[in-house]
């Protein structure tokens, strides 16, 4: 079987950002933990309540998606102190997403949910990217 083909995440992709925290994603409680970590950091650094809610909700949806649909994974939070920018990277153990556009469509679900998680996260984030390959470990 050929190896899956996708552009793997490299920390250099984030430029001057540094790793702030890493978490394992195994249970729904882990999704709550990453949501709280992001929200706490943003509040401590003066983000508006609206921006905290939007980004924390996107983080929660991405983490929950990795747990429910991909068997778990890892979640990393990066910060660029100069630009006051927070970024997150999620790796999961799933089989990959065959049709990313379809997966981002409201109402589409591969597991019986409402089908709003990934598309909602994309709308809530300022920048959103999925790197995946069928048969391989995807990253969001």
């Amino acid at each position: 079987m050929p190896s899956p083909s996708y552009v793997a995440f490299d920390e250099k992709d984030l430029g001057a950002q540094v790793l702030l925290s890493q978490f394992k994603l195994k249970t729904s409680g882990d999704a709550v933990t990453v949501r709280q970590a992001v929200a706490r950091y943003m509040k401590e650094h003066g983000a508006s309540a609206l921006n905290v809610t939007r980004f924390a909700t996107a983080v929660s949806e991405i983490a929950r998606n990795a747990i429910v649909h991909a068997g778990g994974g890892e979640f990393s939070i990066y910060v660029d102190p100069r630009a006051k920018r927070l970024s997150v990277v999620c790796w999961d153990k799933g089989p990959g997403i065959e049709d990313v556009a379809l997966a981002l469509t409201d109402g589409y679900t591969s597991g019986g949910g409402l089908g709003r998680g990934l598309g909602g996260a994309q709308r809530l984030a300022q920048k959103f990217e999925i790197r995946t390959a069928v048969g391989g470990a995807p990253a969001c």
Side-chain angles (χ1 to χ4, degrees):
M1 172 182 247
S3 298
S5 176
Y6 66 98
V7 179
F9 172 74
D10 185 327
E11 284 189 331
K12 293 176 186 169
D13 295 350
L14 296 175
Q17 298 194 42
V18 295
L19 179 63
L20 187 66
S21 302
Q22 285 185 306
F23 302 89
K24 296 286 185 191
L25 298 175
K26 294 179 182 175
T27 69
S28 60
D30 298 329
V32 173
T33 299
V34 296
R35 177 188 175 100
Q36 291 173 338
V38 167
R40 183 175 43 253
Y41 183 86
M42 292 178 74
K43 288 176 187 174
E44 288 173 357
H45 291 83
S48 71
L50 177 61
N51 283 338
V52 171
T53 299
R54 290 176 60 94
F55 195 65
T57 300
V59 162
S60 180
E61 290 295 335
I62 293 167
R64 187 179 165 284
N65 188 71
I67 294 164
V68 171
H69 299 288
E74 295 182 15
F75 201 94
S76 298
I77 302 171
Y78 294 86
V79 62
D80 181 343
R82 290 179 300 153
K84 296 184 177 180
R85 180 178 45 225
L86 203 60
S87 299
V88 297
V89 177
C90 179
W91 293 268
D92 66 40
K93 300 176 181 177
I97 300 172
E98 190 168 316
D99 187 338
V100 172
L102 179 61
L104 292 170
T105 303
D106 280 343
Y108 174 79
T109 180
S110 63
L114 296 175
R116 296 187 179 141
L118 285 180
Q122 181 183 36
R123 285 190 298 277
L124 293 169
Q126 289 182 348
K127 183 178 177 185
F128 184 87
E129 179 182 359
I130 295 176
R131 296 179 186 183
T132 186
V134 175
C140 296

